[in-house]
Amino acid sequence: MNIYISNLSYGISDADLRDLFNEYGEVMSAKVIMDRETGRSRGFGFVEMADDANGQTAIDELNNAEYDGKTISVSVARPRTERPQGGGGFNNRRGGNGGGNNYNSRRY
């Protein structure tokens, strides 16, 4: 079972997550998601548990629990959706001109 945990304290590590969920059964993986640019935690993570029943027990007992001074949210992770490939709205940020300098459209 793949579990999503949000509102984590920024000081929480992968090992901390693993230790928290180990109380409920075998943890196959535990990962705090980090920001690529800053290297700082993004405040959420994922835990994969070997047994679905143990995973559900962990969700039931840890959802809205206080952990490291914050109230965490714990739920079944939804499948990741594919993001569209491409520029992601570049033209919208540049006023629709595609970032060109209109050099070729000038008349001399």
Side-chain angles (χ1 to χ4, degrees):
M1 171 179 272
N2 200 9
I3 300 170
Y4 171 73
I5 306 97
S6 63
N7 203 35
L8 289 171
S9 171
Y10 293 121
I12 299 299
S13 69
D14 295 351
D16 294 329
L17 265 188
R18 180 178 291 277
D19 290 344
L20 178 64
F21 281 82
N22 264 336
E23 296 179 28
Y24 300 94
E26 180 186 354
V27 174
M28 297 172 62
S29 67
K31 182 72 176 159
V32 174
I33 305 304
M34 308 301 274
D35 185 277
R36 289 183 200 164
E37 294 179 17
T38 65
R40 182 176 145 177
S41 167
R42 293 187 60 197
F44 68 94
F46 296 92
V47 170
E48 188 175 0
M49 297 193 69
D51 182 76
D52 287 353
N54 290 344
Q56 189 59 55
T57 299
I59 290 170
D60 294 343
E61 293 192 19
L62 293 174
N63 188 38
N64 294 319
E66 186 174 317
Y67 183 59
D68 199 42
K70 295 187 83 172
T71 302
I72 59 173
S73 294
V74 183
S75 62
V76 175
R78 292 188 305 246
R80 189 174 187 174
T81 58
E82 291 296 319
R83 292 185 182 180
Q85 299 294 319
F90 177 77
N91 287 339
N92 291 337
R93 289 193 304 263
R94 300 285 298 168
N97 68 1
N101 62 10
N102 294 329
Y103 179 79
N104 291 331
S105 65
R106 292 183 185 155
R107 296 179 188 241
Y108 293 97

